[in-house]
Each structure stands twice: as C-alpha cells, then as structure tokens.
Amino acid sequence: MPLRRSLRRLRRRVVPSKLQVVYHDQYNGAFADLPYDALRAERILAFLASEGLVLRRCVHRPEPVWLKALAKVHSADYLDRVHRPETLTSILGQEIGRDLVDRLLDFHRLQTGGTLMATRRARGRGVGINLGGGFHHAHAEHGGGFCVFNDVAVAIADERRRGFDGPVLVVDLDLHDGDGTRDIFRDDPTVHTFSIHASHWDAVDGVETTSLELGSDVDDDHYLEVLGQELPAVFERFEPRLVFYLAGCDPAHDDVLGSWNLSSGAMLERDLLLTRLTRSGLHRTPLVVLLAGGYGHESWRYTARFLSAFERDGRPIEPPSTEEITLKRYRYISSLFTSAELSGGGDNEFGLTEDDLYLPGWAATRETRLLSFYTRHGVELVLERAGFLDRLRDLGFPHPTLEFQLEDPAGQTVRVYGDPNQEDILVELRLTRDRRTLEGMELLSVEWLLMQNPRVEFGPGRTRLPGQQHPGLGMLNDMVALLIAVCDRLHLDGLTFVPSQFHIAVYGKRHLGFLDPETQARFEAMLALFRDTAFEDATRAVAEGRVVDAVTGEVQRWRPEPMVLPVSKRLVRLLEERRLAHAGTEGEPPPFAIRPAEDGSAADSAHSSPSPTAP
C-alpha cells in the first residue's frame, strides 16, 4: 500500500492533479449545538494527502470575502443586522454571545471566500473544491438554517463582475431544501437552481428552477431513479457553462440528523452521475464542489470517497475509519515539532529551563516536565496546533487554561480549565510511565481521565452514567490519538488503562482490548448479551449486579482489569501470541443472563438509543 501511494504521488508530479482544493485551518469550527464534525474538512484533506491524490501545491488558502462582494447579494440592512448577537442567534437556533460574534462571522466569511476561490479555480482548471461552503439557506434579506451568507450567490455575482455571462446551474443534493439560493435567483433566467430534498422550506416558483420534494425514508432505488430522470434533462436543455455542486452528505443512512436511507454506494453513484454530466459533450463544464450538510463523525468519509473516485476516473479508494484518520492527523502534527520545542530546550545544549535551575540541590529532585519530557508550554503548543483548544473555545470556553501537577506519587496530572479563574474543569488526565504491567515493556498508564462539559445539562441523548457529574466533550478519539502520539515521541510500547466500570470499558473498546485473553472473552460475551439493549440500561444492569451466570445464577460483578492499546510492533506481536495461545484452551465463557430490575422495568428491551456494541 505505501508503494502504491508513492507511485500515485510520483504520477501527480508528472500528470497534474484534477483536484484543486481550497482549505484553511480556520475551517475547523463548530458554533452550534449540533453533531457537526468540526474537523470534517481536515479529515478529508488528510485522507487525500495520505493517499497521494493531492499535492501541497494544489491546496489553496482562501481569504475572507470582502464586504463589497457580500453587498452584491445581501441587502445593506441585513449586513448591518448580522453583527448583532440576536440576529446570529436566530440563524443558528441557539444563544450566541457577543464574544462569539466576530469568530462566527469570520468563519462564514472565510468559507464564502473559499467558494469564490474554488470558482476561479474551476473556471481556470476545470474543477475547484471548497472543503466548506454550501450555505444554501441564506436569503438576500436574512440568514437561516445555520447559513449566514449565501456563498454560491456571492460567487456567481463575483463571476458576473469579472465578465462571465454564461448560464449557471446550481445542483443542490443536500437533504434540505436549497431555499435561499432559489429565492435569490427566482427572477434570473441565467441561473437554474436544482434541488432534491426531503421537504420544501419555502416557495418553489422561479423562472429557472427544479425543486423536488421526496419526503422521508427515501431509499437508493427511488432516489437514483428520480435523479437519473431529472438531472440529465436539465443539463441537456439548459446547457450550463458553470456548475455548482452542493454535495451534502446528510442523505446518507447513518447521518445523525438525516431521514433518508441512502447507502454509501448510492451516494457515490449520485456524485459520479453529476461529474459525468459535467464531462460529457464537446466541452467540459467547469465544476465547483461544496460540502454543504453532513452530521456526525462519519460524514467526511462520503466526500473523501467521492473525491478519490473523481481523481481516479471513477475508481474510489475506501477511506479509513475516523479513528484511523484522527490518529494519522495527530501523528502528523506531532512530527512537525522538534524535541526542543516540546521539552523546553533552547540555546543551551542540555535543554534546561529556568525551573530546572531554580535552586541548587532542590532542582535535582523537583520534577519540572510531564513524563520527564514535556513542558507546559510544549503541551499547549501541541493542543493549539491540533485545534484541541479551539474546539473548547467553540463550546463556549474562550480562554482555556492548562495546569500541571507533577509532584503526586500517584501520577502526574494535566488539567484544562475553561477559564483563567479555574472555575470549570474540562479535562483532567493523570499519567505515569509504567514498567510493571508487562515485563520488558514500558507503557503509558492512564491512571485517570475526566472529560466533561459543565455547562451542558443531561437530557434526551445525554443520559447520566455512573460516576458522571456532567456530559462529556465528545473528544475521546482526539485524546487517545494525542496519547498515542506521546507514545511515539517517547518510544513507549503502548497505552494501558484500568476501567473502573463497564461503560468506561465500552467507551474504550474501540481503541483498547483487555490484556488478559480470558477477561476479553468475558467482556465480549457481555457485549453480545447487551446487543439489543440500550446503553444506559446495560450500564445500570451491570452496576446493580443484575448480570448473572445463566446456569448457576451467580452474580457477575464488574472486575477492573488492565486494557492495552499496543503501539510498538513488539507489543503487537506479544498480544497476538497471547491470544493464539489462549484460543481453545479455556473453552467458552459461561452464558450470561439479565435479571429484571427491582422496579420491574425490562433492562433487556431494545431502545432507540445506541447499544454498547454500536460503532
């Protein structure tokens, strides 16, 4: 596989890439209380780069759109009102404080500028891809549906100013209606707006428009049949000279907010149909691709699959899991730092800090670095560059602050507070270097990990689990990837963690497995028992001692045992040898059953919330 990637990179140096990508690291932001992946754009770019499908020179950095360009589409009254917190509150559907106004407007202006740049690339090179944009709910007089500025309309107005007068087709295949774009161009015969969506959001009339409402629970066959009948006919009749494609991923079956059931195959077929239509005939039609909607941490994979197929003439590369791409991202970011930057080395050859030299005789015993390597400044550098602290800012903590506690014999602690006054603790991580768990191996032991958002309440979709005071941050994958990068840097063999409760082991199972093969087998048997059980019910059943041996009736208490994530090759080999040695020697774990709760509720009934074995 690495050889294939290297050959693809070499080929790109000889044959120019079709992918001209517009991206800015400030695209990473999530300002609304939505399951929106703040790193969606970066994950897509990381995949394309790791596969050798796009070179650095083909990635273009946009500038925020000028107010003068916005004024070509949006009214002066709206551009005045949009700076008010109450206006943005109505657009995003949640309270926006004055401290977030500038960041939010900068975010939308930057992505709108990205669409302008992608349009110019498309007009010059045939295709331009903005890893953002698609703000189709923004009207001339008001925003809506999380859309502040209509980037497509602004880009079209900019091209008109530059002298382009050809017909423009806007193909909007987001799950939601492209109402704002349609309204802006309702009287313009040179712009056709095409939208297939679940339900109409506004009036559907216009001199050049196709607006198709399909309702909920749409499947592959029905969707592709409608698209195949309608879209080619529009291309043939309208003969566009510029196409904008809003490649929303929310029609997919696993979208958190979606109501359709499209498979990954149907999503890709949809994308490739559109691109084939722009490549048919005597002239290739310039194509601008925008992300539009897509919710949940898996939405990036649909766009990544599409763009790999586009670059490889219809032959997609299957993207890795979100966990894998997250790890690649953090490993890459870690590789950009020198040891001196992270450990406090400066002009002196020993890399000593002022703390190291504080007092004669005392500095030798006073620990000044996390894991005997990282300074607080070094850790903060990594968290800033990785966007970890920006994501906390997006959650409403504008001034996250780090604290080190390095003298505790139980382990060194890193805390992240939401403010300099240290009133809201967001992250608490206690670490040690462990040489006891596995002879001849050195592991990074996570003695304690707390990640919480104290400003969010428990409620629907946020059930309180044993030991929780507040809901989580939704950043566990990022934390695990950071810790693996630490293992890489310090040449440690892997991570180890002892889950005190069942639900913590469930959260960790994506990344870690139990060190003891028998314990792992029992855990997997318990997961199988709860396959059709709601997560909170399964957790309660284990905590209340209602999981029993189906034959003897003996209560199966949760036993905290070490879990391990191997990083070094030698630890991978050791764990595989242990697994093979254990296979078939101890037989199957005993069958488990669930006793009813004392209140009579059926803990083994299926619910709509995710089960412990859900991906």
Side-chain angles (χ1 to χ4, degrees):
M1 187 66 72
L3 177 59
R4 292 181 184 175
R5 292 178 187 140
S6 299
L7 290 174
R8 282 198 290 267
R9 291 190 184 97
L10 179 61
R11 180 177 177 271
R12 297 295 163 243
R13 297 181 186 278
V14 180
V15 181
S17 170
K18 292 182 292 220
L19 299 180
Q20 297 292 314
V21 177
V22 177
Y23 169 78
H24 196 290
D25 53 12
Q26 292 181 19
Y27 277 13
N28 302 326
F31 300 95
D33 188 16
L34 286 173
Y36 179 78
D37 181 5
L39 298 178
R40 180 182 176 194
E42 189 167 297
R43 297 189 207 279
I44 295 168
L45 183 57
F47 165 73
L48 296 175
S50 67
E51 293 294 338
L53 298 177
V54 63
L55 297 176
R56 186 180 295 273
R57 67 170 182 268
C58 298
V59 179
H60 309 282
R61 187 180 174 92
E63 297 289 337
V65 65
W66 287 22
L67 187 61
K68 184 177 181 180
L70 293 174
K72 295 290 185 182
V73 171
H74 296 288
S75 69
D77 176 66
Y78 175 58
L79 292 179
D80 178 60
R81 287 185 289 109
V82 81
H83 293 272
R84 304 172 187 172
E86 59 269 24
T87 301
L88 295 176
T89 294
S90 68
I91 294 172
L92 273 75
Q94 73 171 47
E95 190 69 28
I96 299 298
R98 187 164 296 279
D99 59 323
L100 273 182
V101 168
D102 287 341
R103 287 193 68 215
L104 199 151
L105 291 178
D106 289 347
F107 175 81
H108 281 262
R109 287 183 67 170
L110 185 62
Q111 293 207 18
T112 300
T115 298
L116 267 67
M117 176 175 279
T119 304
R120 293 171 202 153
R121 291 288 163 182
R123 295 259 291 126
R125 300 291 297 272
V127 63
I129 298 153
N130 184 18
L131 295 182
F135 303 132
H136 57 172
H137 296 312
H139 294 243
E141 301 287 342
H142 62 86
F146 318 111
C147 302
V148 179
F149 307 118
N150 194 300
D151 57 313
V152 171
V154 174
I156 292 173
D158 186 65
E159 287 302 309
R160 296 299 194 215
R161 179 183 65 82
R162 293 170 178 271
F164 175 72
D165 60 0
V168 179
L169 173 61
V170 181
V171 179
D172 191 335
L173 299 186
D174 189 285
L175 177 74
H176 304 101
D177 187 10
D179 59 310
T181 314
R182 182 174 61 246
D183 180 51
I184 290 171
F185 294 109
R186 65 181 181 275
D187 298 322
D188 189 341
T190 69
V191 178
H192 186 100
T193 57
F194 181 99
S195 178
I196 296 181
H197 43 262
S199 60
H200 296 317
W201 279 38
D202 205 344
V204 297
D205 58 320
V207 295
E208 276 291 345
T209 188
T210 301
S211 183
L212 303 172
E213 181 183 59
L214 300 187
S216 301
D217 299 319
V218 174
D219 61 17
D220 291 358
D221 292 340
H222 179 46
Y223 180 78
L224 293 175
E225 179 183 6
V226 172
L227 184 65
Q229 290 176 349
E230 300 289 341
L231 189 57
V234 170
F235 266 87
E236 184 176 358
R237 178 188 66 79
F238 192 65
E239 297 183 343
R241 289 295 172 261
L242 176 62
V243 175
F244 289 84
Y245 177 34
L246 279 69
C249 297
D250 40 7
H253 67 97
D254 58 353
D255 190 84
V256 176
L257 299 183
S259 61
W260 287 0
N261 303 307
L262 300 192
S263 67
S264 58
M267 292 286 289
L268 181 60
E269 189 171 343
R270 169 200 80 162
D271 298 333
L272 294 181
L273 170 63
L274 183 282
T275 54
R276 284 196 300 270
L277 291 171
T278 63
R279 264 78 191 128
S280 62
L282 297 177
H283 303 287
R284 294 193 170 191
T285 308
L287 173 65
V288 183
V289 178
L290 309 172
L291 291 195
Y295 305 95
H297 289 297
E298 299 298 315
S299 63
W300 71 273
R301 301 179 78 245
Y302 293 97
T303 306
R305 189 182 294 111
F306 160 45
L307 295 180
S308 73
F310 181 82
E311 174 64 20
R312 301 176 73 243
D313 299 320
R315 296 172 291 114
I317 298 173
E318 188 62 19
S321 68
T322 298
E323 290 83 1
E324 289 177 284
I325 203 69
T326 299
L327 177 56
K328 284 184 178 181
R329 174 179 178 268
Y330 278 103
R331 276 178 158 160
Y332 172 71
I333 290 170
S334 178
S335 72
L336 299 178
F337 292 98
T338 65
S339 292
E341 289 176 298
L342 300 178
S343 65
D347 294 333
N348 66 79
E349 61 179 316
F350 300 105
L352 299 179
T353 67
E354 291 183 7
D355 283 340
D356 294 318
L357 304 173
Y358 188 68
L359 283 177
W362 181 56
T365 61
R366 180 173 180 261
E367 181 61 77
T368 62
R369 295 185 181 89
L370 180 69
L371 302 172
S372 302
F373 181 80
Y374 292 94
T375 63
R376 190 186 65 80
H377 179 69
V379 171
E380 189 170 353
L381 277 176
V382 173
L383 296 181
E384 284 287 11
R385 175 63 185 86
F388 192 95
L389 297 183
D390 271 340
R391 292 175 68 184
L392 297 181
R393 295 182 182 108
D394 294 340
L395 292 173
F397 302 96
H399 304 293
T401 304
L402 269 68
E403 177 191 68
F404 274 17
Q405 181 179 330
L406 305 180
E407 304 301 323
D408 190 337
Q412 297 180 321
T413 300
V414 178
R415 296 186 182 92
V416 182
Y417 293 93
D419 60 284
N421 295 327
Q422 300 186 351
E423 294 179 357
D424 293 321
I425 185 167
L426 309 181
V427 179
E428 186 174 62
L429 174 66
R430 186 179 302 143
L431 300 170
T432 61
R433 295 175 76 140
D434 175 14
R435 297 182 179 90
R436 301 184 307 273
T437 299
L438 280 172
E439 185 178 355
M441 303 275 182
E442 185 173 15
L443 305 175
L444 179 60
S445 177
V446 181
E447 302 293 329
W448 170 259
L449 174 59
L450 171 71
M451 301 179 71
Q452 63 178 14
N453 188 339
R455 297 186 184 177
V456 174
E457 300 294 330
F458 289 105
R462 290 193 178 102
T463 302
R464 185 192 298 269
L465 298 173
Q468 278 191 316
Q469 291 184 326
H470 305 285
L473 292 171
M475 297 168 65
L476 179 62
N477 287 340
D478 300 84
M479 180 57 70
V480 172
L482 278 167
L483 294 175
I484 292 174
V486 170
C487 291
D488 290 338
R489 174 72 64 169
L490 302 183
H491 306 291
L492 304 179
D493 291 290
L495 296 173
T496 183
F497 176 66
V498 180
S500 60
Q501 302 191 56
F502 169 72
H503 73 273
I504 299 176
V506 173
Y507 283 139
K509 73 181 178 65
R510 285 190 177 189
H511 313 285
L512 301 96
F514 283 96
L515 183 59
D516 176 51
E518 183 178 349
T519 303
Q520 180 68 25
R522 292 174 60 84
F523 179 58
E524 291 174 357
M526 195 172 289
L527 291 175
L529 173 71
F530 292 129
R531 182 172 289 114
D532 297 321
T533 303
F535 188 19
E536 57 269 24
D537 287 346
T539 297
R540 193 169 69 246
V542 175
E544 294 174 356
R546 291 189 287 106
V547 177
V548 299
D549 186 310
V551 177
T552 66
E554 180 184 358
V555 174
Q556 302 297 300
R557 300 288 181 185
W558 179 250
R559 290 185 253 168
E561 298 284 348
M563 299 182 82
V564 173
L565 188 157
V567 174
S568 69
K569 292 181 179 179
R570 64 176 187 160
L571 182 52
V572 171
R573 287 195 300 268
L574 175 65
L575 295 181
E576 180 62 16
E577 289 169 1
R578 285 192 173 196
R579 187 189 67 80
L580 292 175
H582 178 267
T585 61
E586 299 293 336
E588 295 295 324
F592 295 140
I594 311 173
R595 289 192 316 209
E598 291 184 2
D599 60 6
S601 62
D604 56 348
S605 60
H607 294 264
S608 58
S609 56
S611 72
T613 54

